[in-house]
Coordinates of all heavy atoms in Angstrom, one line a residue:
M1 N 61.4 80.4 27.5 CA 62.0 81.6 28.0 C 61.8 81.6 29.5 O 60.8 81.2 30.1 CB 61.2 82.8 27.5 CG 61.4 83.1 26.0 SD 62.9 84.0 25.8 CE 62.9 84.2 24.1
G2 N 62.8 82.2 30.2 CA 62.8 82.3 31.6 C 62.2 83.6 32.0 O 61.7 84.4 31.2
P3 N 62.3 84.0 33.3 CA 61.8 85.3 33.7 C 62.5 86.4 33.0 O 63.7 86.3 32.6 CB 62.1 85.3 35.2 CG 62.9 84.1 35.5 CD 62.9 83.2 34.3
H4 N 61.8 87.4 32.8 CA 62.4 88.6 32.1 C 62.8 88.4 30.7 O 63.7 89.1 30.2 CB 63.5 89.2 33.0 CG 63.2 89.4 34.4 ND1 62.3 90.3 34.9 CD2 63.6 88.7 35.5 CE1 62.2 90.2 36.2 NE2 63.0 89.2 36.6
G5 N 62.3 87.4 30.1 CA 62.6 87.1 28.7 C 64.0 86.4 28.4 O 64.4 86.3 27.3
A6 N 64.6 86.0 29.5 CA 66.0 85.4 29.3 C 65.8 84.0 28.8 O 64.9 83.2 29.2 CB 66.7 85.3 30.6
H7 N 66.6 83.6 27.9 CA 66.6 82.2 27.3 C 67.2 81.3 28.3 O 68.3 81.5 28.8 CB 67.3 82.2 26.0 CG 67.4 80.8 25.4 ND1 66.2 80.2 24.9 CD2 68.4 79.9 25.3 CE1 66.6 79.0 24.5 NE2 67.9 78.8 24.7
R8 N 66.5 80.2 28.6 CA 67.1 79.2 29.5 C 67.7 78.0 28.7 O 67.0 77.4 27.9 CB 66.0 78.6 30.4 CG 65.4 79.7 31.3 CD 64.3 79.1 32.1 NE 64.8 78.8 33.4 CZ 64.2 78.1 34.3 NH1 63.0 77.6 34.1 NH2 64.8 77.8 35.4
P9 N 69.0 77.8 28.9 CA 69.6 76.7 28.1 C 69.0 75.3 28.6 O 68.7 75.2 29.7 CB 71.1 76.8 28.5 CG 71.1 77.6 29.7 CD 69.9 78.5 29.8
T10 N 68.9 74.4 27.7 CA 68.5 73.1 28.0 C 69.7 72.2 28.0 O 70.7 72.4 27.3 CB 67.5 72.6 26.9 OG1 68.1 72.6 25.7 CG2 66.2 73.4 26.9
A11 N 69.6 71.1 28.9 CA 70.7 70.2 29.0 C 70.8 69.4 27.7 O 69.8 69.0 27.1 CB 70.4 69.3 30.2
V12 N 72.0 69.2 27.2 CA 72.2 68.4 26.0 C 73.0 67.2 26.4 O 74.0 67.3 27.0 CB 73.0 69.3 24.9 CG1 73.3 68.4 23.7 CG2 72.2 70.5 24.6
R13 N 72.5 66.1 26.0 CA 73.2 64.8 26.2 C 73.7 64.4 24.9 O 73.0 63.8 24.1 CB 72.3 63.8 26.9 CG 73.0 62.6 27.3 CD 72.1 61.6 28.0 NE 72.9 60.4 28.3 CZ 73.2 59.9 29.5 NH1 72.7 60.6 30.5 NH2 73.8 58.8 29.6
A14 N 75.0 64.6 24.7 CA 75.6 64.2 23.5 C 75.7 62.7 23.4 O 75.8 62.0 24.4 CB 77.0 64.8 23.3
R15 N 75.7 62.1 22.2 CA 76.0 60.7 22.0 C 77.4 60.4 22.3 O 78.3 61.2 21.9 CB 75.7 60.4 20.5 CG 75.6 58.9 20.3 CD 75.2 58.7 18.9 NE 76.4 58.9 18.1 CZ 77.0 58.0 17.3 NH1 76.4 56.9 17.1 NH2 78.1 58.3 16.6
P16 N 77.7 59.4 23.0 CA 79.1 59.1 23.4 C 80.0 58.9 22.1 O 79.5 58.3 21.1 CB 79.0 57.8 24.1 CG 77.6 57.7 24.7 CD 76.8 58.4 23.6
A17 N 81.1 59.5 22.2 CA 82.1 59.4 21.0 C 82.7 58.0 21.0 O 83.3 57.6 22.0 CB 83.1 60.5 21.1
D18 N 82.6 57.4 19.9 CA 83.2 56.0 19.7 C 84.7 56.1 19.4 O 85.4 55.1 19.5 CB 82.4 55.2 18.6 CG 81.0 55.0 19.0 OD1 80.7 54.8 20.2 OD2 80.2 54.9 18.1
H19 N 85.1 57.2 18.8 CA 86.5 57.2 18.3 C 87.5 57.9 19.3 O 88.6 58.1 18.9 CB 86.5 57.9 17.0 CG 85.9 59.3 17.0 ND1 84.6 59.5 17.0 CD2 86.5 60.5 17.0 CE1 84.3 60.8 17.0 NE2 85.5 61.4 17.1
H20 N 87.0 58.3 20.5 CA 87.9 58.9 21.4 C 88.1 58.0 22.6 O 87.3 57.1 22.9 CB 87.3 60.2 22.0 CG 87.1 61.3 20.9 ND1 88.1 61.7 20.1 CD2 86.0 62.0 20.6 CE1 87.6 62.6 19.3 NE2 86.4 62.8 19.6
T21 N 89.3 58.1 23.2 CA 89.5 57.4 24.4 C 89.7 58.3 25.6 O 90.1 59.5 25.4 CB 90.8 56.5 24.3 OG1 91.9 57.3 24.0 CG2 90.6 55.5 23.2
A22 N 89.5 57.8 26.8 CA 89.7 58.6 28.0 C 90.3 57.8 29.1 O 89.9 56.6 29.3 CB 88.3 59.1 28.5
L23 N 91.2 58.4 29.8 CA 91.8 57.9 31.1 C 91.1 58.7 32.2 O 91.4 59.9 32.3 CB 93.3 58.0 31.1 CG 93.9 57.6 32.4 CD1 93.6 56.2 32.8 CD2 95.4 57.8 32.4
V24 N 90.3 58.1 33.0 CA 89.6 58.8 34.0 C 90.3 58.4 35.3 O 90.5 57.3 35.7 CB 88.1 58.3 34.1 CG1 87.5 59.0 35.3 CG2 87.4 58.6 32.8
I25 N 90.8 59.5 36.0 CA 91.6 59.3 37.2 C 90.8 59.9 38.4 O 90.4 61.0 38.4 CB 92.9 60.0 37.2 CG1 93.8 59.4 36.0 CG2 93.7 59.8 38.5 CD1 95.0 60.2 35.7
S26 N 90.5 59.0 39.4 CA 89.9 59.5 40.6 C 90.9 59.5 41.7 O 91.9 58.7 41.6 CB 88.7 58.6 41.0 OG 89.0 57.2 41.0
L27 N 90.8 60.4 42.6 CA 91.8 60.6 43.7 C 91.3 60.1 45.0 O 90.2 60.5 45.4 CB 92.2 62.0 43.7 CG 92.7 62.6 42.4 CD1 92.8 64.1 42.5 CD2 94.0 62.0 41.9
G28 N 92.0 59.3 45.7 CA 91.6 58.7 47.0 C 91.3 59.8 48.0 O 90.3 59.6 48.8
D29 N 92.0 60.9 48.1 CA 91.7 61.9 49.1 C 90.9 63.1 48.5 O 90.9 64.2 49.1 CB 93.0 62.4 49.7 CG 93.6 61.4 50.7 OD1 92.8 60.5 51.2 OD2 94.8 61.4 50.9
D30 N 90.2 62.9 47.4 CA 89.5 64.0 46.8 C 88.1 64.1 47.5 O 87.3 63.2 47.2 CB 89.3 63.7 45.3 CG 88.7 64.9 44.6 OD1 88.2 65.8 45.2 OD2 88.8 64.9 43.3
T31 N 87.9 65.1 48.2 CA 86.6 65.3 48.9 C 85.7 66.2 48.1 O 84.6 66.4 48.5 CB 86.8 65.9 50.3 OG1 87.5 67.2 50.2 CG2 87.6 65.0 51.2
L32 N 86.2 66.8 47.0 CA 85.3 67.7 46.2 C 84.6 67.0 45.0 O 83.7 67.6 44.5 CB 86.2 68.8 45.7 CG 86.8 69.7 46.8 CD1 87.7 70.8 46.2 CD2 85.7 70.3 47.7
S33 N 85.1 65.9 44.6 CA 84.5 65.2 43.4 C 83.9 63.9 43.9 O 84.6 62.9 44.2 CB 85.5 64.9 42.3 OG 86.1 66.1 41.8
P34 N 82.6 63.8 44.0 CA 81.9 62.6 44.4 C 82.3 61.4 43.5 O 82.4 61.5 42.3 CB 80.4 62.9 44.3 CG 80.3 64.4 44.2 CD 81.6 64.9 43.6
V35 N 82.5 60.3 44.1 CA 82.9 59.1 43.4 C 81.9 58.7 42.3 O 82.3 58.4 41.1 CB 83.1 57.9 44.3 CG1 83.4 56.6 43.6 CG2 84.2 58.2 45.3
R36 N 80.7 58.8 42.5 CA 79.6 58.5 41.5 C 79.7 59.5 40.3 O 79.5 59.1 39.2 CB 78.3 58.5 42.1 CG 78.0 57.3 43.0 CD 76.7 57.2 43.6 NE 75.7 57.0 42.6 CZ 74.4 57.1 42.7 NH1 73.9 57.4 43.9 NH2 73.6 56.9 41.7
A37 N 80.0 60.7 40.6 CA 80.1 61.7 39.5 C 81.3 61.4 38.6 O 81.2 61.5 37.4 CB 80.2 63.1 40.1
V38 N 82.4 61.1 39.3 CA 83.6 60.7 38.5 C 83.4 59.5 37.7 O 83.8 59.4 36.5 CB 84.8 60.5 39.5 CG1 86.0 60.0 38.7 CG2 85.2 61.8 40.2
A39 N 82.6 58.5 38.2 CA 82.3 57.3 37.5 C 81.3 57.5 36.3 O 81.4 56.9 35.3 CB 81.8 56.2 38.4
D40 N 80.4 58.4 36.5 CA 79.3 58.6 35.5 C 79.7 59.5 34.4 O 79.3 59.3 33.2 CB 78.1 59.2 36.3 CG 76.9 59.3 35.3 OD1 76.5 58.3 34.7 OD2 76.3 60.4 35.2
L41 N 80.4 60.6 34.6 CA 80.7 61.6 33.6 C 81.3 61.0 32.3 O 80.9 61.3 31.2 CB 81.5 62.7 34.2 CG 81.9 63.8 33.2 CD1 80.6 64.5 32.7 CD2 82.8 64.8 33.8
P42 N 82.4 60.2 32.4 CA 83.0 59.8 31.2 C 82.1 58.9 30.3 O 82.2 59.0 29.1 CB 84.2 59.0 31.6 CG 84.0 58.7 33.1 CD 83.1 59.8 33.6
H43 N 81.1 58.2 30.9 CA 80.2 57.4 30.1 C 79.1 58.3 29.4 O 78.5 57.8 28.5 CB 79.6 56.4 31.0 CG 80.6 55.4 31.5 ND1 81.3 54.5 30.7 CD2 81.1 55.2 32.8 CE1 82.2 53.9 31.4 NE2 82.1 54.3 32.7
R44 N 79.0 59.5 29.8 CA 78.2 60.5 29.1 C 78.9 61.0 27.9 O 78.2 61.5 27.0 CB 77.7 61.6 30.0 CG 76.8 61.2 31.1 CD 76.6 62.4 32.1 NE 75.7 62.0 33.1 CZ 74.4 62.2 33.2 NH1 73.8 62.9 32.2 NH2 73.7 61.9 34.2
L45 N 80.2 61.0 27.9 CA 81.0 61.6 26.9 C 81.7 60.6 25.9 O 82.0 61.0 24.8 CB 82.1 62.5 27.5 CG 81.6 63.6 28.4 CD1 82.7 64.3 29.1 CD2 80.7 64.6 27.7
F46 N 81.9 59.4 26.4 CA 82.7 58.4 25.6 C 82.0 57.1 25.7 O 81.2 56.8 26.6 CB 84.1 58.2 26.2 CG 84.9 59.5 26.3 CD1 85.0 60.2 27.5 CD2 85.6 59.9 25.2 CE1 85.7 61.4 27.6 CE2 86.4 61.1 25.3 CZ 86.4 61.8 26.5
S47 N 82.2 56.3 24.7 CA 81.7 54.9 24.7 C 82.3 54.2 25.8 O 83.5 54.4 26.2 CB 81.9 54.3 23.3 OG 82.8 53.2 23.4
S48 N 81.6 53.3 26.4 CA 82.1 52.5 27.6 C 83.4 51.7 27.3 O 84.2 51.6 28.2 CB 81.0 51.5 28.1 OG 79.9 52.3 28.6
T49 N 83.5 51.3 26.1 CA 84.7 50.5 25.7 C 85.9 51.4 25.6 O 87.0 50.8 25.5 CB 84.4 49.7 24.4 OG1 84.1 50.7 23.4 CG2 83.3 48.7 24.6
S50 N 85.8 52.7 25.5 CA 86.9 53.5 25.3 C 87.4 54.2 26.6 O 88.3 55.1 26.6 CB 86.7 54.6 24.2 OG 85.7 55.5 24.7
V51 N 86.8 53.9 27.7 CA 87.1 54.5 29.0 C 88.0 53.6 29.8 O 87.6 52.4 30.1 CB 85.8 54.9 29.8 CG1 86.2 55.4 31.2 CG2 85.0 55.9 29.0
T52 N 89.1 54.1 30.3 CA 90.0 53.4 31.2 C 90.0 54.1 32.5 O 90.1 55.3 32.5 CB 91.4 53.3 30.7 OG1 91.4 52.6 29.4 CG2 92.3 52.6 31.7
R53 N 89.7 53.4 33.6 CA 89.7 54.1 34.9 C 90.9 53.7 35.7 O 91.4 52.6 35.7 CB 88.4 53.6 35.6 CG 87.1 54.1 35.0 CD 86.0 54.4 35.9 NE 86.5 54.5 37.3 CZ 86.3 55.6 38.1 NH1 85.7 56.6 37.7 NH2 86.8 55.6 39.3
W54 N 91.3 54.7 36.5 CA 92.4 54.4 37.5 C 92.0 55.2 38.8 O 91.7 56.4 38.7 CB 93.7 54.9 37.0 CG 94.8 54.8 38.0 CD1 95.1 53.7 38.8 CD2 95.8 55.8 38.4 NE1 96.2 53.9 39.6 CE2 96.6 55.2 39.4 CE3 96.0 57.1 38.0 CZ2 97.6 55.9 40.0 CZ3 97.0 57.8 38.5 CH2 97.8 57.2 39.5
H55 N 92.0 54.5 39.9 CA 91.8 55.2 41.2 C 93.1 55.3 41.9 O 93.8 54.3 42.2 CB 90.8 54.4 42.0 CG 90.5 55.1 43.3 ND1 89.7 56.2 43.4 CD2 90.9 54.8 44.6 CE1 89.7 56.6 44.7 NE2 90.4 55.7 45.4
Y56 N 93.6 56.5 42.1 CA 94.8 56.8 42.7 C 94.6 56.7 44.2 O 94.2 57.6 44.9 CB 95.3 58.2 42.3 CG 96.7 58.6 42.8 CD1 97.6 57.8 43.2 CD2 97.0 60.0 42.7 CE1 98.9 58.2 43.7 CE2 98.2 60.5 43.1 CZ 99.1 59.6 43.6 OH 100.4 60.1 44.0
N57 N 94.9 55.5 44.8 CA 94.7 55.2 46.2 C 95.7 56.0 47.1 O 96.8 56.2 46.6 CB 94.8 53.7 46.5 CG 93.7 52.9 45.9 OD1 92.5 53.3 46.1 ND2 94.0 51.9 45.2
T58 N 95.3 56.2 48.3 CA 96.1 56.9 49.2 C 97.4 56.1 49.5 O 98.5 56.7 49.7 CB 95.3 57.1 50.5 OG1 94.2 57.8 50.2 CG2 96.1 57.9 51.5
D59 N 97.3 54.8 49.5 CA 98.6 54.0 49.7 C 99.6 54.0 48.6 O 100.7 53.5 48.7 CB 98.2 52.6 50.1 CG 97.5 51.8 49.0 OD1 97.2 52.4 48.0 OD2 97.2 50.6 49.3
Q60 N 99.2 54.6 47.4 CA 100.1 54.7 46.3 C 100.8 56.1 46.3 O 101.7 56.3 45.4 CB 99.3 54.6 45.0 CG 98.7 53.3 44.7 CD 97.7 53.3 43.5 OE1 96.8 54.1 43.5 NE2 98.0 52.5 42.6
V61 N 100.5 56.9 47.2 CA 101.0 58.3 47.2 C 102.4 58.3 47.9 O 102.6 57.8 49.0 CB 100.1 59.3 48.0 CG1 100.7 60.6 48.1 CG2 98.7 59.3 47.4
P62 N 103.4 58.7 47.1 CA 104.8 58.8 47.7 C 104.8 59.8 48.9 O 104.0 60.7 49.0 CB 105.7 59.3 46.6 CG 104.9 59.1 45.3 CD 103.4 59.2 45.7
E63 N 105.8 59.6 49.7 CA 106.0 60.4 50.9 C 106.2 61.9 50.4 O 106.8 62.1 49.4 CB 107.3 60.0 51.7 CG 107.4 60.7 53.0 CD 108.5 60.1 53.8 OE1 108.8 58.9 53.7 OE2 109.1 60.9 54.5
A64 N 105.6 62.8 51.1 CA 105.6 64.3 50.8 C 104.8 64.6 49.6 O 104.9 65.7 49.1 CB 107.1 64.8 50.7
S65 N 103.9 63.7 49.2 CA 103.0 64.0 48.1 C 101.6 63.9 48.6 O 101.3 63.5 49.8 CB 103.2 63.0 47.0 OG 104.5 63.2 46.4
T66 N 100.6 64.2 47.8 CA 99.2 64.1 48.1 C 98.4 63.7 46.9 O 98.8 63.9 45.8 CB 98.7 65.4 48.8 OG1 97.3 65.2 49.1 CG2 98.8 66.6 47.8
N67 N 97.2 63.2 47.2 CA 96.3 62.9 46.1 C 94.9 63.5 46.4 O 93.9 62.9 46.0 CB 96.2 61.4 45.8 CG 95.5 60.6 46.9 OD1 95.5 61.1 48.1 ND2 95.1 59.4 46.7
D68 N 94.9 64.7 46.9 CA 93.7 65.4 47.1 C 93.3 66.2 45.8 O 94.1 66.2 44.9 CB 93.7 66.3 48.4 CG 94.6 67.5 48.3 OD1 94.9 67.9 47.2 OD2 94.9 68.1 49.3
H69 N 92.2 66.8 45.8 CA 91.6 67.4 44.6 C 92.5 68.4 44.0 O 92.6 68.4 42.7 CB 90.3 68.1 45.0 CG 89.5 68.6 43.8 ND1 88.7 67.8 43.0 CD2 89.4 69.9 43.3 CE1 88.2 68.5 42.1 NE2 88.6 69.8 42.2
I70 N 93.2 69.2 44.7 CA 94.1 70.2 44.2 C 95.6 70.0 44.4 O 96.4 70.2 43.6 CB 93.7 71.6 44.8 CG1 92.3 72.0 44.4 CG2 94.7 72.7 44.4 CD1 91.7 73.2 45.1
G71 N 95.9 69.4 45.6 CA 97.3 69.2 46.0 C 98.1 68.3 45.1 O 99.3 68.5 45.0
W72 N 97.5 67.3 44.4 CA 98.3 66.4 43.6 C 99.0 67.1 42.5 O 100.1 66.6 42.1 CB 97.4 65.3 43.0 CG 96.5 65.8 41.9 CD1 95.3 66.3 42.0 CD2 96.9 65.9 40.5 NE1 94.8 66.7 40.7 CE2 95.8 66.4 39.8 CE3 98.0 65.5 39.8 CZ2 95.8 66.6 38.4 CZ3 98.0 65.7 38.4 CH2 96.9 66.3 37.8
V73 N 98.6 68.3 42.1 CA 99.3 69.0 41.0 C 100.6 69.5 41.5 O 101.5 69.7 40.6 CB 98.4 70.2 40.6 CG1 99.1 71.1 39.6 CG2 97.0 69.7 40.1
R74 N 100.8 69.7 42.7 CA 102.1 70.2 43.2 C 103.2 69.1 43.2 O 104.4 69.4 43.1 CB 102.0 70.7 44.7 CG 101.2 71.9 44.8 CD 101.1 72.5 46.2 NE 100.2 73.6 46.2 CZ 99.0 73.6 46.8 NH1 98.6 72.5 47.4 NH2 98.2 74.6 46.8
T75 N 102.8 67.8 43.2 CA 103.7 66.7 43.1 C 103.0 65.7 42.2 O 102.6 64.6 42.6 CB 103.9 66.1 44.5 OG1 102.7 65.8 45.1 CG2 104.7 67.0 45.4
P76 N 103.0 66.0 40.9 CA 102.2 65.1 39.9 C 102.9 63.9 39.4 O 102.4 63.2 38.5 CB 101.9 66.1 38.8 CG 103.2 67.0 38.8 CD 103.5 67.1 40.2
A77 N 104.1 63.6 39.8 CA 104.9 62.5 39.2 C 104.2 61.2 39.0 O 104.2 60.6 37.9 CB 106.2 62.3 39.9
T78 N 103.5 60.8 40.0 CA 102.8 59.5 40.0 C 101.7 59.5 38.9 O 101.5 58.6 38.1 CB 102.2 59.1 41.3 OG1 103.2 59.1 42.3 CG2 101.5 57.7 41.3
V79 N 100.9 60.6 38.8 CA 99.8 60.7 37.9 C 100.4 60.8 36.4 O 100.0 60.2 35.5 CB 98.9 61.9 38.2 CG1 97.9 62.2 37.1 CG2 98.3 61.8 39.5
V80 N 101.5 61.6 36.3 CA 102.1 61.8 35.0 C 102.7 60.5 34.5 O 102.5 60.1 33.3 CB 103.2 62.9 35.0 CG1 104.0 62.9 33.7 CG2 102.6 64.2 35.3
D81 N 103.3 59.7 35.4 CA 103.8 58.4 35.0 C 102.7 57.5 34.6 O 102.9 56.7 33.6 CB 104.6 57.8 36.2 CG 105.9 58.4 36.5 OD1 106.4 59.2 35.6 OD2 106.5 58.2 37.6
R82 N 101.6 57.5 35.2 CA 100.5 56.7 34.9 C 99.9 57.0 33.5 O 99.6 56.2 32.7 CB 99.4 56.8 35.9 CG 98.2 55.9 35.7 CD 98.5 54.4 35.8 NE 97.4 53.6 35.6 CZ 97.1 52.6 36.4 NH1 97.9 52.2 37.3 NH2 96.0 51.9 36.1
I83 N 99.8 58.3 33.2 CA 99.4 58.8 31.9 C 100.3 58.4 30.8 O 99.9 57.9 29.7 CB 99.1 60.3 31.9 CG1 98.0 60.7 32.8 CG2 98.9 60.8 30.5 CD1 97.9 62.1 33.1
V84 N 101.6 58.6 31.0 CA 102.6 58.3 30.0 C 102.7 56.8 29.7 O 102.9 56.4 28.5 CB 104.0 58.9 30.4 CG1 105.1 58.4 29.5 CG2 103.9 60.4 30.5
T85 N 102.5 56.0 30.7 CA 102.7 54.5 30.5 C 101.4 53.8 30.0 O 101.4 52.6 29.8 CB 103.2 53.8 31.8 OG1 102.3 54.0 32.8 CG2 104.6 54.4 32.2
R86 N 100.3 54.5 29.9 CA 99.1 53.9 29.5 C 98.8 54.2 28.1 O 98.8 54.9 27.4 CB 97.9 54.3 30.4 CG 98.1 53.9 31.8 CD 98.0 52.4 31.9 NE 98.5 52.0 33.2 CZ 98.7 50.8 33.6 NH1 98.4 49.8 32.8 NH2 99.1 50.5 34.8

């Protein structure tokens, strides 16, 4: 129990799921998601063999598009194409 009788949740580390797959996309201009965090999180949730990583480099961004944390959603074609073709 925490102060004032409040229950404090404990961190739960689930066993990685062997039957799920994940495409983890990191963005070259993303200043809000640390590279180590993006690399570590999927391995907490999925088995290492089921994780595919793709780093969307700045040199892959079409003109008038962006690959920052939020802006890529406004011009998602490159990311969508990568998801559909994998």
Side-chain angles (χ1 to χ4, degrees):
M1 291 279 182
H4 312 291
H7 177 70
R8 299 176 94 189
T10 57
V12 176
R13 184 175 177 121
R15 192 178 76 122
D18 294 327
H19 57 281
H20 296 308
T21 59
L23 172 60
V24 177
I25 301 172
S26 53
L27 306 169
D29 286 337
D30 188 348
T31 58
L32 298 176
S33 297
V35 173
R36 288 182 66 189
V38 172
D40 184 53
L41 182 63
H43 297 292
R44 292 175 181 258
L45 303 173
F46 302 96
S47 112
S48 295
T49 58
S50 66
V51 175
T52 301
R53 292 213 15 122
W54 175 50
H55 182 72
Y56 184 17
N57 289 311
T58 303
D59 62 358
Q60 296 172 302
V61 178
E63 191 173 326
S65 295
T66 182
N67 66 343
D68 70 19
H69 187 81
I70 297 170
W72 73 269
V73 176
R74 293 184 185 107
T75 53
T78 304
V79 174
V80 171
D81 289 345
R82 181 68 178 220
I83 293 168
V84 171
T85 61
R86 296 293 164 183

